[in-house]
């Protein structure tokens, strides 16, 4: 039982292997050249005289390999396959005048339908790449103790980040909540001083204010932050989403450059989400636009809070990486939020923000250690897949994935990706899409065109090949009205009797089927189906004996059911070599102890081995003496 089971498993395994190897080959034949090029794996033979009598034009469409074995010359095989054109391919460089982190930069592909093409992408984070860091602070009353710490923060952040890069700019903005009930009291005195008790002084609440656009000036940061006065509101969630949205989309007000962009969000409480605005009668969904007024305020009373999806999109589109620095109590909520926002991390802020600098530099290196390569706006019928080669030692990740992904990448480490493009339909025109690394502004532009039309360069009107009554293109005749046949040699029958008498010539003898049942009779001529041919479709060039699952053992041509073997081969399936080199090249063939059949020794009794050099049953013989 066990033996049978093992044998069975083994057989299954072998069959499985064979099928896997068999898959990529093959072509579904098509009757015209352009349809043929649109069929994966197919090529077209344009030679005028390629077809034998009765063969349908589909027989011109086959794998390039088969066309060659069927004696179509290379110059007559239409099988366009073009390498990608590198329109821009600068080398990676960390030179500060000309930083290149992504290679290549611009590619043009001419793709065949269903034929994948691959290319390589390299990325290396440039050393000392500049950083823009915008600090978003919750100014609700509970953050009062943090404000004192933040005042001296600028210098510390700069010196921490200067370990990674020389060029750092910082900016500052703050948020409280929408100035409307039930978030902010509308009682006049409370509105002007929203502190919980009257002994403190608070500034009126606001949704978001840009206080300091990105600058290299640390002193400016210090003064502007020192000027800040705490504010207050009624409920605990804040307008953090309004602030993130404005900070991300107000590019020119905030002053973002095309460098590493980091948004630090500090809060000790949770956030209002899309839909919460309804409590204050604000129904209009956020439009994703910048709405800061002349003094940098966002009046949040027109639009609802943005949704998480909107935030994720604008942050990705603007290459902004987000660091949530939040207190212990609200970490869980922000961890859940961070899962929905790519390129964001959450760090635990001490209740007086004293660890914020450490947190920022740790979060920055965490963000930089994950590298994600994704495509944007690719044509819908284009399948883009990735293989990531993250570390040279670890070898390759052998699965094709929806995006390129490398974790724990060290500074100065280069990572490579193989990207495969496989298009399933023809495109009307060239289409361009981009590959981007999350959080990096550099893009790789990829343009794709499809090779779906034949340019056989043989067009001939009134061609003599078509009896001067048809146009020759790509080896086939398109006949003028009323004419038919491979060479337009016949006229369409005018009445029934002439049609019937014509049909008679499509039978091999009176008793046989029209075109042997393998074709249609068209004005006295058989047009055969599939691999059949001949005046009566009586031949099938696919019906010969097979060896090793190949027609005529791959060593001959199938002609009308019989293998015509190539030189040095014989046998019904051309499975027998006429050479003798495998039977030994010195001395007698098979050591004189066997015969050489099909280039293999058939040993005489008592001998075995490739050269019949070994003696079987040696011991009993010697024992006799
Ligand atoms: C950043 O790059 C984008 C696209 O490459 C460009 O439109 C934008 O003007 C650049 N911004 C700055 C500040 O250079
Ligand atoms: C911007 O809005 C704030 C708060 O609503 C207001 O105090 C300020 O005057 C406005 N600035 C301009 C230029 O309208
Ligand atoms: C901050 O945390 C420390 C120790 O964890 C605690 O002693 C202090 O009271 C806290 N301060 C506030 C304002 O919660
Ligand atoms: C950075 O990554 C380490 C290891 O994955 C993790 O323990 C730490 O909490 C992360 N810190 C931040 C701020 O993301
Ligand atoms: C390419 O796409 C075609 C369908 O359009 C599919 O049959 C083929 O398997 C794909 N090839 C690869 C390597 O993914
Ligand atoms: C047939 O064998 C001979 C002798 O080995 C060799 O010279 C010749 O190239 C072979 N022909 C083909 C088509 O392989
Ligand atoms: C068979 O004979 C050939 C030539 O005599 C020799 O090169 C080869 O090594 C031999 N093979 C074996 C398995 O004996």
């Amino acid at each position: 039982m066990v033996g049978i089971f093992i044998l069975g498993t083994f057989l299954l395994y072998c069959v499985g292997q064979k099928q896997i190897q068999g898959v990529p080959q093959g072509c579904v034949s098509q009757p015209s050249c352009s349809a043929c090029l649109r069929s994966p794996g197919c090529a077209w033979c344009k030679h005028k005289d390629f077809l034998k009598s009765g063969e349908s034009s589909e027989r011109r469409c086959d794998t390039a390999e088969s066309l060659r074995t069927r004696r179509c010359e290379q110059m007559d095989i239409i099988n366009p396959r073009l390498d990608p054109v590198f329109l821009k391919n600068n080398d990676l460089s960390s030179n500060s005048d000309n930083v290149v982190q992504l290679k290549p930069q611009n590619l043009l592909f001419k793709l065949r339908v269903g034929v994948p093409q691959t290319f390589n992408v390299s990325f290396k984070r440039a050393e000392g790449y500049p950083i823009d860091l915008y600090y978003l602070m919750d100014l609700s009353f509970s953050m009062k103790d943090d404000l004192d710490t933040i005042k001296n923060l600028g210098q510390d952040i700069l010196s921490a980040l200067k370990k990674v890069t020389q060029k750092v700019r910082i900016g500052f903005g703050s948020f409280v909540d929408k100035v409307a009930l039930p978030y902010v009291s509308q009682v006049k005195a409370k509105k002007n001083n929203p502190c919980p008790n009257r002994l403190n002084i608070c500034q009126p609440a606001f949704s978001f204010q840009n206080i300091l656009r990105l600058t290299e000036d640390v002193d400016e940061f210090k003064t502007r932050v020192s000027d800040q006065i705490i504010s207050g509101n009624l409920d605990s969630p804040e307008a953090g989403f309004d602030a993130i949205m404005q900070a991300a989309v107000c590019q020119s007000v905030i002053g973002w450059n095309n460098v590493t962009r980091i948004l630090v969000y500090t809060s000790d409480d949770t956030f209002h989400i899309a839909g919460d605005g309804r409590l204050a009668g604000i129904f209009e969904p956020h439009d994703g636009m910048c709405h800061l007024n002349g003094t940098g305020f966002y009046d949040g009373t027109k639009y609802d809070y943005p949704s998480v999806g909107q935030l994720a999109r604008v942050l990705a589109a603007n290459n902004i990486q987000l660091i949530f620095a939040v207190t212990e109590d609200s970490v869980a909520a922000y961890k859940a939020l961070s899962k929905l926002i790519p390129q964001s991390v959450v760090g635990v802020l001490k209740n007086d923000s004293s660890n914020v600098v450490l947190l920022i530099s740790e979060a920055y290196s965490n963000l930089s250690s994950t590298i994600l390569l994704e495509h944007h706006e690719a044509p819908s019928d284009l399948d883009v897949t990735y293989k990531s080669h993250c570390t040279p030692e670890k070898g390759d990740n052998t699965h094709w994935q929806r995006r390129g992904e490398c974790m724990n990448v060290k500074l100065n480490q280069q990572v490579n990706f193989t990207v495969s493009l496989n298009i399933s339909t023809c495109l009307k025109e060239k289409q361009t899409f981009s590959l981007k690394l999350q959080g990096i502004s550099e893009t790789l532009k990829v343009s794709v065109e499809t090779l779906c039309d034949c340019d056989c360069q043989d067009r001939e009107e009134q061609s003599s090949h078509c009896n001067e009554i048809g146009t020759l293109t790509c080896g086939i005749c398109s006949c003028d009205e009323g004419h038919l046949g491979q060479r337009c040699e016949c006229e369409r029958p005018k009445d029934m009797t002439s049609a019937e008498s014509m049909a008679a010539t499509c039978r091999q003898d009176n008793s046989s089927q029209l075109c042997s049942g393998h074709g249609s009779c068209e004005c006295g001529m058989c047009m055969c189906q599939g691999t059949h041919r001949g005046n009566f479709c009586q031949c099938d060039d696919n019906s010969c004996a097979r060896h090793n699952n190949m027609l005529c053992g791959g060593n001959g041509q199938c002609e009308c059911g019989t293998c015509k073997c190539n030189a040095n081969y014989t046998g019904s399936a051309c499975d027998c070599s006429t050479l003798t080199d495998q039977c030994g090249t010195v001395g007698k063939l098979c050591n004189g102890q066997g015969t050489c059949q099909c280039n293999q020794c058939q040993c005489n009794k008592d001998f075995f081995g490739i050269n019949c050099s070994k003696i079987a049953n040696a011991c009993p013989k010697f024992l006799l003496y």
Side-chain angles (χ1 to χ4, degrees), residues 198-211:
R198 251 176 274 157
L199 298 175
N200 293 104
I201 297 172
C202 287
Q203 64 165 319
F206 51 90
S207 273
F208 166 72
Q209 184 193 5
N210 169 41
I211 296 161

Side-chain angles (χ1 to χ4, degrees), residues 379-398:
S380 56
D381 294 322
L382 181 69
D383 191 28
V384 188
T385 49
Y386 302 81
K387 271 187 187 179
S388 312
H389 316 288
C390 301
T391 48
E393 313 90 58
K394 265 198 174 165
D396 293 350
N397 178 351
T398 47

Side-chain angles (χ1 to χ4, degrees), residues 95-106:
N95 187 335
S96 57
D97 301 331
N98 174 33
V99 173
V100 181
Q101 303 183 99
L102 184 64
K103 176 187 155 93
Q105 297 85 33
N106 197 346

Side-chain angles (χ1 to χ4, degrees), residues 339-536:
K339 287 212 179 78
L340 305 173
I341 301 183
Q343 293 286 5
S344 70
V345 289
V346 182
V348 183
L349 192 64
K350 293 218 172 108
N351 62 5
D352 59 356
S353 296
S354 57
N355 68 333
V356 72
V357 173
L358 198 69
L359 195 154
I360 289 172
S361 51
E362 190 184 294
Y364 172 73
S365 67
N366 281 13
L367 282 172
S368 319
S369 71
T370 300
I371 290 170
L372 299 175
L373 181 65
E374 291 176 314
H375 50 277
H376 299 271
E377 285 150 26
S380 56
D381 294 322
L382 181 69
D383 191 28
V384 188
T385 49
Y386 302 81
K387 271 187 187 179
S388 312
H389 316 288
C390 301
T391 48
E393 313 90 58
K394 265 198 174 165
D396 293 350
N397 178 351
T398 47
H399 298 289
W400 289 104
Q401 294 174 313
R402 296 277 121 210
R403 62 179 188 182
E405 187 169 326
C406 284
M407 303 293 186
N408 303 321
V409 178
K410 295 186 192 70
L411 223 66
N412 288 327
Q413 182 188 329
Q414 180 176 331
V415 290
N416 299 305
F417 303 95
T418 307
V419 184
S420 167
L421 304 179
N422 185 12
I423 197 149
S424 56
T425 53
C426 294
L427 297 175
K428 286 200 185 66
E429 54 190 16
K430 182 163 86 178
Q431 290 203 24
T432 302
F433 67 100
S434 58
L435 293 185
K436 275 186 60 175
L437 290 137
Q438 271 188 12
I440 305 284
S441 60
E442 284 171 47
T443 58
L444 160 53
K445 277 208 171 9
V446 182
S447 304
V448 286
E449 285 174 39
T450 43
L451 291 164
C452 285
D453 294 299
C454 288
D455 181 15
C456 298
Q457 298 185 328
D458 65 344
R459 190 179 166 87
E460 218 181 285
E461 311 228 359
Q462 309 298 307
S463 162
S464 58
H465 182 76
C466 308
N467 282 309
E468 273 119 27
I469 37 182
T471 305
L472 179 77
T473 38
C474 294
I476 52 179
C477 291
S478 11
C479 307
D480 297 349
E481 192 64 40
H483 295 268
L484 289 169
Q486 271 182 6
R487 295 178 161 219
C488 311
E489 62 272 52
C490 98
E491 250 175 277
R492 212 182 275 279
K494 293 189 177 64
D495 52 51
M496 277 304 287
T497 38
S498 61
E500 267 168 32
S501 67
M502 273 182 173
T505 60
C506 286
R507 295 180 204 272
Q508 199 158 16
D509 52 53
N510 284 343
S511 61
S512 59
Q513 278 180 292
L514 215 55
C515 300
S516 312
H518 297 301
S520 57
C521 184
E522 285 176 7
C523 49
M525 305 269 299
C526 282
M527 294 306 290
C528 311
Q529 294 158 349
T531 50
H532 292 272
R533 66 176 177 86
N535 291 343
F536 310 104

Side-chain angles (χ1 to χ4, degrees), residues 109-122:
F109 273 93
K110 296 198 176 178
L111 295 172
R112 284 282 298 279
V113 168
V115 182
Q117 282 222 44
T118 59
F119 62 99
N120 290 327
V121 176
S122 307

Side-chain angles (χ1 to χ4, degrees), residues 169 251 255-259 261 319 441-443 445:
R169 299 192 311 153
Q251 295 266 322
W256 293 112
N257 274 347
N258 281 335
V259 297
R261 297 170 170 184
N319 306 309
S441 60
E442 284 171 47
T443 58
K445 277 208 171 9

Side-chain angles (χ1 to χ4, degrees), residues 134 173-174 206-211 246 250 253-254 291-299:
Y134 191 80
S174 58
F206 51 90
S207 273
F208 166 72
Q209 184 193 5
N210 169 41
I211 296 161
Q246 295 303 307
C250 297
V253 184
I254 305 293
H291 295 288
L292 298 186
N293 77 5
T295 40
F297 279 96
Y298 170 62
D299 171 24

